[in-house]
Amino acid sequence: MQATDPKLRGFSTFLQLERAARHAESVEALGFVAVNETRRLLNFRQAVLAAGGESARPRVQAVSGVSVLDRDAPFVRWTEALLADLAGQADAREVRRIGPDAVPAKRRAGWHEFAGGHALWVPLIAPDGELLGILWMIREAAWSDGDAVLAERLADCYAHAWRALAGRKAGRRRRRWPRVAAALAAVGLL
């Protein structure tokens, strides 16, 4: 195979994304890789990374091309509402292609304004089975079976990195002390 072989380039890009995910120093850095760098492998117009899914309402963490997330932006609010609707469906743990027909009627008006085209729902499932979040990608062209397989493999890598990063953060005791100190201060005031 030559270096110009598209399959070799695609595999090389996949390995680069996997490495970037494993070397991310925070969940935020991982989110940047997921919504911006993934475009090198899977061409999309817009990507969103949302935390949550089954046990918690999806909450947008990162949007491609956006450095500061505006939680009150209509796109963010509509996307969170749509992802919450889709997360409640039986096939929420499967990579799936989403078109306007798969969107609940109450979200269809926003579909044309905020999504349009074709979307790919990619759940990020941790090694322990927890649904950590959703990678939501939108583009004009239909998603192929190959795109779905690549997205699923990449999501496995992103979920593994996310779990490792979140676990590392959760283990820090110093994050708990400010809450404990505030609780003790409140009790002292009473």
Side-chain angles (χ1 to χ4, degrees), residues 88 97 139 178:
R97 289 161 246 193
R139 70 181 188 190

Side-chain angles (χ1 to χ4, degrees), residues 143-165:
W143 295 93
S144 70
D145 291 341
D147 293 331
V149 169
L150 282 173
E152 184 175 17
R153 297 298 304 153
L154 205 50
D156 187 53
C157 171
Y158 290 164
H160 187 271
W162 192 343
R163 170 56 81 214
L165 290 166

Side-chain angles (χ1 to χ4, degrees), residues 156-178:
D156 187 53
C157 171
Y158 290 164
H160 187 271
W162 192 343
R163 170 56 81 214
L165 290 166
R168 191 170 65 208
K169 281 184 177 180
R172 293 183 184 167
R173 291 199 180 270
R174 68 178 188 197
R175 296 185 131 250
R176 292 175 50 184
W177 285 111

